[in-house]
mmCIF file of all heavy atoms in Angstrom:
data_model
loop_
_atom_site.group_PDB
_atom_site.id
_atom_site.type_symbol
_atom_site.label_atom_id
_atom_site.label_comp_id
_atom_site.label_asym_id
_atom_site.label_seq_id
_atom_site.Cartn_x
_atom_site.Cartn_y
_atom_site.Cartn_z
ATOM 1 N N GLU A 69 113.332 52.297 64.326
ATOM 2 C CA GLU A 69 114.227 51.508 65.031
ATOM 3 C C GLU A 69 115.597 51.417 64.442
ATOM 4 O O GLU A 69 116.526 51.095 65.234
ATOM 5 C CB GLU A 69 113.646 50.066 65.078
ATOM 6 C CG GLU A 69 112.324 50.030 65.910
ATOM 7 C CD GLU A 69 111.795 48.643 66.083
ATOM 8 O OE1 GLU A 69 112.425 47.622 65.723
ATOM 9 O OE2 GLU A 69 110.529 48.516 66.588
ATOM 10 N N VAL A 70 115.810 51.571 63.087
ATOM 11 C CA VAL A 70 117.143 51.334 62.483
ATOM 12 C C VAL A 70 117.640 52.361 61.589
ATOM 13 O O VAL A 70 118.801 52.374 61.240
ATOM 14 C CB VAL A 70 117.200 49.838 61.878
ATOM 15 C CG1 VAL A 70 116.869 48.791 62.890
ATOM 16 C CG2 VAL A 70 116.235 49.888 60.629
ATOM 17 N N TYR A 71 116.802 53.141 61.115
ATOM 18 C CA TYR A 71 117.210 54.196 60.109
ATOM 19 C C TYR A 71 118.311 55.094 60.480
ATOM 20 O O TYR A 71 119.310 55.222 59.761
ATOM 21 C CB TYR A 71 116.036 55.010 59.558
ATOM 22 C CG TYR A 71 116.269 55.911 58.466
ATOM 23 C CD1 TYR A 71 116.943 55.432 57.233
ATOM 24 C CD2 TYR A 71 115.954 57.287 58.478
ATOM 25 C CE1 TYR A 71 117.182 56.288 56.180
ATOM 26 C CE2 TYR A 71 116.263 58.168 57.345
ATOM 27 C CZ TYR A 71 116.808 57.650 56.276
ATOM 28 O OH TYR A 71 117.124 58.484 55.197
ATOM 29 N N PRO A 72 118.301 55.649 61.746
ATOM 30 C CA PRO A 72 119.447 56.493 62.201
ATOM 31 C C PRO A 72 120.819 55.751 62.202
ATOM 32 O O PRO A 72 121.837 56.294 61.803
ATOM 33 C CB PRO A 72 119.074 56.906 63.617
ATOM 34 C CG PRO A 72 117.509 56.833 63.581
ATOM 35 C CD PRO A 72 117.186 55.701 62.743
ATOM 36 N N GLU A 73 120.678 54.466 62.659
ATOM 37 C CA GLU A 73 121.939 53.637 62.719
ATOM 38 C C GLU A 73 122.463 53.349 61.273
ATOM 39 O O GLU A 73 123.635 53.352 61.068
ATOM 40 C CB GLU A 73 121.712 52.309 63.437
ATOM 41 C CG GLU A 73 121.460 52.484 64.943
ATOM 42 C CD GLU A 73 121.215 51.142 65.568
ATOM 43 O OE1 GLU A 73 122.264 50.310 65.482
ATOM 44 O OE2 GLU A 73 120.226 50.849 66.236
ATOM 45 N N ILE A 74 121.518 53.068 60.394
ATOM 46 C CA ILE A 74 121.943 52.729 59.012
ATOM 47 C C ILE A 74 122.565 54.039 58.373
ATOM 48 O O ILE A 74 123.641 53.907 57.741
ATOM 49 C CB ILE A 74 120.733 52.379 58.191
ATOM 50 C CG1 ILE A 74 120.293 50.995 58.625
ATOM 51 C CG2 ILE A 74 120.981 52.503 56.732
ATOM 52 C CD1 ILE A 74 118.989 50.448 58.011
ATOM 53 N N LEU A 75 122.053 55.249 58.647
ATOM 54 C CA LEU A 75 122.603 56.432 58.137
ATOM 55 C C LEU A 75 124.030 56.668 58.725
ATOM 56 O O LEU A 75 124.943 57.071 57.978
ATOM 57 C CB LEU A 75 121.758 57.704 58.478
ATOM 58 C CG LEU A 75 120.458 57.894 57.708
ATOM 59 C CD1 LEU A 75 119.674 59.003 58.211
ATOM 60 C CD2 LEU A 75 120.692 57.892 56.185
ATOM 61 N N ALA A 76 124.243 56.361 59.977
ATOM 62 C CA ALA A 76 125.465 56.562 60.651
ATOM 63 C C ALA A 76 126.567 55.608 60.073
ATOM 64 O O ALA A 76 127.756 55.901 60.194
ATOM 65 C CB ALA A 76 125.280 56.251 62.117
ATOM 66 N N ARG A 77 126.144 54.528 59.529
ATOM 67 C CA ARG A 77 127.082 53.666 58.834
ATOM 68 C C ARG A 77 127.270 53.897 57.338
ATOM 69 O O ARG A 77 127.741 53.031 56.595
ATOM 70 C CB ARG A 77 126.557 52.116 59.042
ATOM 71 C CG ARG A 77 126.602 51.663 60.526
ATOM 72 C CD ARG A 77 128.130 51.458 60.946
ATOM 73 N NE ARG A 77 128.750 50.388 60.144
ATOM 74 C CZ ARG A 77 128.692 49.081 60.392
ATOM 75 N NH1 ARG A 77 128.046 48.696 61.453
ATOM 76 N NH2 ARG A 77 129.299 48.209 59.634
ATOM 77 N N ASN A 78 126.689 55.071 56.826
ATOM 78 C CA ASN A 78 126.859 55.511 55.510
ATOM 79 C C ASN A 78 125.950 54.580 54.515
ATOM 80 O O ASN A 78 126.265 54.363 53.439
ATOM 81 C CB ASN A 78 128.277 55.448 54.932
ATOM 82 C CG ASN A 78 129.120 56.496 55.708
ATOM 83 O OD1 ASN A 78 128.768 57.682 55.994
ATOM 84 N ND2 ASN A 78 130.373 56.072 56.149
ATOM 85 N N GLY A 79 124.858 54.098 55.066
ATOM 86 C CA GLY A 79 123.895 53.307 54.351
ATOM 87 C C GLY A 79 122.624 54.150 54.174
ATOM 88 O O GLY A 79 122.529 55.256 54.683
ATOM 89 N N THR A 80 121.690 53.581 53.539
ATOM 90 C CA THR A 80 120.409 54.194 53.381
ATOM 91 C C THR A 80 119.279 53.185 53.243
ATOM 92 O O THR A 80 119.590 51.945 53.145
ATOM 93 C CB THR A 80 120.348 55.208 52.196
ATOM 94 O OG1 THR A 80 119.201 56.003 52.281
ATOM 95 C CG2 THR A 80 120.391 54.466 50.893
ATOM 96 N N ILE A 81 118.061 53.608 53.152
ATOM 97 C CA ILE A 81 116.933 52.739 52.898
ATOM 98 C C ILE A 81 116.135 53.324 51.769
ATOM 99 O O ILE A 81 116.069 54.532 51.602
ATOM 100 C CB ILE A 81 115.985 52.595 54.144
ATOM 101 C CG1 ILE A 81 116.665 52.089 55.348
ATOM 102 C CG2 ILE A 81 114.772 51.620 53.719
ATOM 103 C CD1 ILE A 81 115.837 51.993 56.550
ATOM 104 N N VAL A 82 115.589 52.463 50.841
ATOM 105 C CA VAL A 82 114.696 52.891 49.783
ATOM 106 C C VAL A 82 113.563 51.902 49.664
ATOM 107 O O VAL A 82 113.791 50.756 49.820
ATOM 108 C CB VAL A 82 115.465 53.106 48.502
ATOM 109 C CG1 VAL A 82 115.952 51.673 47.955
ATOM 110 C CG2 VAL A 82 114.496 53.737 47.437
ATOM 111 N N GLY A 83 112.403 52.418 49.505
ATOM 112 C CA GLY A 83 111.234 51.581 49.221
ATOM 113 C C GLY A 83 111.011 51.444 47.796
ATOM 114 O O GLY A 83 111.394 52.310 46.969
ATOM 115 N N VAL A 84 110.246 50.362 47.416
ATOM 116 C CA VAL A 84 109.840 50.181 46.051
ATOM 117 C C VAL A 84 108.430 49.675 46.046
ATOM 118 O O VAL A 84 108.135 48.700 46.755
ATOM 119 C CB VAL A 84 110.669 49.176 45.231
ATOM 120 C CG1 VAL A 84 110.258 48.916 43.831
ATOM 121 C CG2 VAL A 84 112.222 49.638 45.193
ATOM 122 N N VAL A 85 107.544 50.308 45.322
ATOM 123 C CA VAL A 85 106.154 49.924 45.283
ATOM 124 C C VAL A 85 105.630 49.934 43.824
ATOM 125 O O VAL A 85 105.949 50.721 43.024
ATOM 126 C CB VAL A 85 105.239 50.793 46.164
ATOM 127 C CG1 VAL A 85 105.303 52.272 45.685
ATOM 128 C CG2 VAL A 85 103.835 50.310 46.364
ATOM 129 N N GLY A 86 104.755 48.955 43.545
ATOM 130 C CA GLY A 86 104.208 48.877 42.144
ATOM 131 C C GLY A 86 103.052 49.808 41.893
ATOM 132 O O GLY A 86 102.048 49.392 41.298
ATOM 133 N N GLN A 87 103.266 51.061 42.202
ATOM 134 C CA GLN A 87 102.279 52.085 42.022
ATOM 135 C C GLN A 87 103.080 53.336 41.469
ATOM 136 O O GLN A 87 104.244 53.404 41.479
ATOM 137 C CB GLN A 87 101.540 52.529 43.301
ATOM 138 C CG GLN A 87 100.712 51.393 43.828
ATOM 139 C CD GLN A 87 99.971 51.805 45.158
ATOM 140 O OE1 GLN A 87 100.663 51.960 46.127
ATOM 141 N NE2 GLN A 87 98.670 51.841 45.076
ATOM 142 N N GLU A 88 102.257 54.303 40.942
ATOM 143 C CA GLU A 88 102.738 55.456 40.409
ATOM 144 C C GLU A 88 103.620 56.268 41.477
ATOM 145 O O GLU A 88 103.344 56.210 42.703
ATOM 146 C CB GLU A 88 101.707 56.387 39.798
ATOM 147 C CG GLU A 88 100.997 55.860 38.567
ATOM 148 C CD GLU A 88 99.949 56.805 38.094
ATOM 149 O OE1 GLU A 88 99.798 57.871 38.689
ATOM 150 O OE2 GLU A 88 99.313 56.479 37.048
ATOM 151 N N GLN A 89 104.583 57.130 41.013
ATOM 152 C CA GLN A 89 105.378 57.911 41.963
ATOM 153 C C GLN A 89 104.554 58.750 42.800
ATOM 154 O O GLN A 89 104.976 58.962 43.979
ATOM 155 C CB GLN A 89 106.413 58.663 41.148
ATOM 156 C CG GLN A 89 107.558 59.284 42.039
ATOM 157 C CD GLN A 89 108.339 58.241 42.817
ATOM 158 O OE1 GLN A 89 108.886 57.338 42.224
ATOM 159 N NE2 GLN A 89 108.378 58.432 44.092
ATOM 160 N N ALA A 90 103.596 59.430 42.192
ATOM 161 C CA ALA A 90 102.742 60.345 43.030
ATOM 162 C C ALA A 90 102.100 59.653 44.231
ATOM 163 O O ALA A 90 101.959 60.217 45.295
ATOM 164 C CB ALA A 90 101.657 61.018 42.163
ATOM 165 N N ILE A 91 101.710 58.423 43.987
ATOM 166 C CA ILE A 91 101.047 57.673 45.114
ATOM 167 C C ILE A 91 102.075 57.312 46.131
ATOM 168 O O ILE A 91 101.772 57.455 47.357
ATOM 169 C CB ILE A 91 100.455 56.397 44.574
ATOM 170 C CG1 ILE A 91 99.162 56.734 43.535
ATOM 171 C CG2 ILE A 91 99.872 55.491 45.659
ATOM 172 C CD1 ILE A 91 98.617 55.488 42.874
ATOM 173 N N ALA A 92 103.213 56.850 45.700
ATOM 174 C CA ALA A 92 104.389 56.611 46.674
ATOM 175 C C ALA A 92 104.719 57.811 47.441
ATOM 176 O O ALA A 92 104.940 57.792 48.697
ATOM 177 C CB ALA A 92 105.539 56.056 45.841
ATOM 178 N N ASP A 93 104.847 58.990 46.760
ATOM 179 C CA ASP A 93 105.277 60.162 47.509
ATOM 180 C C ASP A 93 104.218 60.631 48.546
ATOM 181 O O ASP A 93 104.564 61.059 49.606
ATOM 182 C CB ASP A 93 105.453 61.294 46.416
ATOM 183 C CG ASP A 93 106.700 61.106 45.642
ATOM 184 O OD1 ASP A 93 107.609 60.335 45.919
ATOM 185 O OD2 ASP A 93 106.784 61.706 44.551
ATOM 186 N N LYS A 94 102.974 60.486 48.118
ATOM 187 C CA LYS A 94 101.939 60.878 49.061
ATOM 188 C C LYS A 94 101.870 60.032 50.311
ATOM 189 O O LYS A 94 101.701 60.434 51.348
ATOM 190 C CB LYS A 94 100.586 60.803 48.348
ATOM 191 C CG LYS A 94 99.356 61.329 49.235
ATOM 192 C CD LYS A 94 98.064 61.311 48.490
ATOM 193 C CE LYS A 94 96.911 61.641 49.342
ATOM 194 N NZ LYS A 94 95.584 61.617 48.697
ATOM 195 N N ALA A 95 102.100 58.713 50.097
ATOM 196 C CA ALA A 95 102.123 57.799 51.215
ATOM 197 C C ALA A 95 103.357 58.077 52.155
ATOM 198 O O ALA A 95 103.195 58.185 53.418
ATOM 199 C CB ALA A 95 102.272 56.316 50.754
ATOM 200 N N MET A 96 104.494 58.339 51.512
ATOM 201 C CA MET A 96 105.687 58.642 52.378
ATOM 202 C C MET A 96 105.414 59.953 53.224
ATOM 203 O O MET A 96 105.837 60.000 54.462
ATOM 204 C CB MET A 96 106.887 58.808 51.501
ATOM 205 C CG MET A 96 107.410 57.645 50.832
ATOM 206 S SD MET A 96 107.895 56.225 51.830
ATOM 207 C CE MET A 96 106.364 55.273 51.857
ATOM 208 N N ALA A 97 104.835 60.919 52.641
ATOM 209 C CA ALA A 97 104.569 62.164 53.302
ATOM 210 C C ALA A 97 103.470 62.012 54.393
ATOM 211 O O ALA A 97 103.690 62.499 55.468
ATOM 212 C CB ALA A 97 104.120 63.262 52.318
ATOM 213 N N THR A 98 102.408 61.268 54.057
ATOM 214 C CA THR A 98 101.326 60.989 55.048
ATOM 215 C C THR A 98 101.836 60.226 56.216
ATOM 216 O O THR A 98 101.430 60.454 57.440
ATOM 217 C CB THR A 98 100.172 60.307 54.312
ATOM 218 O OG1 THR A 98 99.699 61.065 53.236
ATOM 219 C CG2 THR A 98 99.036 60.058 55.329
ATOM 220 N N TRP A 99 102.657 59.270 55.926
ATOM 221 C CA TRP A 99 103.146 58.342 56.981
ATOM 222 C C TRP A 99 104.372 58.907 57.738
ATOM 223 O O TRP A 99 104.898 58.205 58.675
ATOM 224 C CB TRP A 99 103.506 56.965 56.426
ATOM 225 C CG TRP A 99 102.316 56.233 55.841
ATOM 226 C CD1 TRP A 99 100.971 56.571 56.014
ATOM 227 C CD2 TRP A 99 102.355 55.146 54.921
ATOM 228 N NE1 TRP A 99 100.191 55.732 55.265
ATOM 229 C CE2 TRP A 99 101.047 54.928 54.535
ATOM 230 C CE3 TRP A 99 103.348 54.430 54.300
ATOM 231 C CZ2 TRP A 99 100.686 53.825 53.623
ATOM 232 C CZ3 TRP A 99 103.069 53.432 53.418
ATOM 233 C CH2 TRP A 99 101.684 53.191 53.090
ATOM 234 N N LYS A 100 104.910 60.072 57.253
ATOM 235 C CA LYS A 100 106.106 60.677 57.761
ATOM 236 C C LYS A 100 107.287 59.695 57.699
ATOM 237 O O LYS A 100 107.979 59.545 58.641
ATOM 238 C CB LYS A 100 105.906 61.124 59.197
ATOM 239 C CG LYS A 100 104.814 62.218 59.267
ATOM 240 C CD LYS A 100 104.631 62.746 60.660
ATOM 241 C CE LYS A 100 103.667 63.930 60.747
ATOM 242 N NZ LYS A 100 102.392 63.720 60.156
ATOM 243 N N ILE A 101 107.558 59.167 56.589
ATOM 244 C CA ILE A 101 108.691 58.221 56.343
ATOM 245 C C ILE A 101 109.811 59.163 55.752
ATOM 246 O O ILE A 101 109.631 59.738 54.707
ATOM 247 C CB ILE A 101 108.325 57.090 55.374
ATOM 248 C CG1 ILE A 101 107.156 56.329 55.879
ATOM 249 C CG2 ILE A 101 109.541 56.205 55.210
ATOM 250 C CD1 ILE A 101 107.354 55.705 57.218
ATOM 251 N N PRO A 102 110.996 59.170 56.305
ATOM 252 C CA PRO A 102 112.050 60.068 55.896
ATOM 253 C C PRO A 102 112.820 59.598 54.693
ATOM 254 O O PRO A 102 113.477 60.521 54.045
ATOM 255 C CB PRO A 102 112.978 60.218 57.100
ATOM 256 C CG PRO A 102 112.831 58.822 57.771
ATOM 257 C CD PRO A 102 111.336 58.482 57.536
ATOM 258 N N PHE A 103 112.721 58.373 54.326
ATOM 259 C CA PHE A 103 113.504 57.875 53.142
ATOM 260 C C PHE A 103 112.482 57.816 51.917
ATOM 261 O O PHE A 103 111.356 57.675 52.113
ATOM 262 C CB PHE A 103 114.220 56.654 53.396
ATOM 263 C CG PHE A 103 113.357 55.497 54.001
ATOM 264 C CD1 PHE A 103 112.516 54.744 53.295
ATOM 265 C CD2 PHE A 103 113.358 55.312 55.371
ATOM 266 C CE1 PHE A 103 111.808 53.755 53.838
ATOM 267 C CE2 PHE A 103 112.652 54.330 56.022
ATOM 268 C CZ PHE A 103 111.809 53.568 55.236
ATOM 269 N N PRO A 104 113.030 57.795 50.718
ATOM 270 C CA PRO A 104 112.138 57.800 49.578
ATOM 271 C C PRO A 104 111.593 56.307 49.205
ATOM 272 O O PRO A 104 112.221 55.345 49.700
ATOM 273 C CB PRO A 104 113.122 58.309 48.357
ATOM 274 C CG PRO A 104 114.433 57.792 48.872
ATOM 275 C CD PRO A 104 114.493 57.893 50.380
ATOM 276 N N SER A 105 110.542 56.297 48.520
ATOM 277 C CA SER A 105 110.119 55.104 47.863
ATOM 278 C C SER A 105 109.973 55.396 46.359
ATOM 279 O O SER A 105 109.518 56.469 45.969
ATOM 280 C CB SER A 105 108.716 54.622 48.404
ATOM 281 O OG SER A 105 108.864 53.829 49.602
ATOM 282 N N ILE A 106 110.396 54.489 45.610
ATOM 283 C CA ILE A 106 110.348 54.635 44.133
ATOM 284 C C ILE A 106 109.037 54.004 43.638
ATOM 285 O O ILE A 106 108.747 52.730 43.930
ATOM 286 C CB ILE A 106 111.509 54.014 43.401
ATOM 287 C CG1 ILE A 106 112.847 54.557 43.950
ATOM 288 C CG2 ILE A 106 111.447 54.203 41.925
ATOM 289 C CD1 ILE A 106 114.053 53.908 43.377
#
């Protein structure tokens, strides 16, 4: 709903989760989320 508009305004989105990076990366890939989570 909003990520393309945010990018167009020179902004971005980042997620943060209290788990290891490998778990975060796997979730982003599985869910097809285009922005990173730390």
